[in-house]
Amino acid sequence: GINHLRDWLLLMTKPSRWAVPSNVKHIQPPLYLTTEIIRAQIFRVFQQELPYLLSQRNIGWTELHNGDLRIDQQIIIHNERKSTRALVE
């Protein structure tokens, strides 16, 4: 499950050009944009399997000396049966 997802995400990340030029300004804070981009990529991979059972928590945002950015997130997969049971009770 999660280890497979983590391994796949690490395998798929490769250094490349930024999708948006550095001089483009956004209204949303960078952390919000990053969370949305990561969430969109997870949903793209899993398509319709997880959309309502997944949440993210930002753990770290580190600007490295070489100019790279390290983003650490905790991806939480909720147990559908437990959440349904809690709603019914």
Side-chain angles (χ1 to χ4, degrees), residues 45-61:
V45 170
F46 285 99
Q47 296 176 357
Q48 298 175 5
E49 294 180 31
L50 294 175
Y52 302 105
L53 301 177
L54 180 116
S55 61
Q56 297 161 258
R57 191 175 98 180
N58 296 303
I59 304 294
W61 177 280

Side-chain angles (χ1 to χ4, degrees), residues 26-45:
H26 297 277
I27 296 171
Q28 293 91 359
L31 190 56
Y32 175 81
L33 289 173
T34 302
T35 300
E36 289 301 310
I37 291 168
I38 292 170
R39 186 174 185 81
Q41 292 301 311
I42 291 169
F43 288 164
R44 187 182 70 118
V45 170

Side-chain angles (χ1 to χ4, degrees), residues 61-70:
W61 177 280
T62 309
E63 295 179 18
L64 304 175
H65 295 293
N66 66 358
D68 289 349
L69 177 64
R70 178 184 168 120

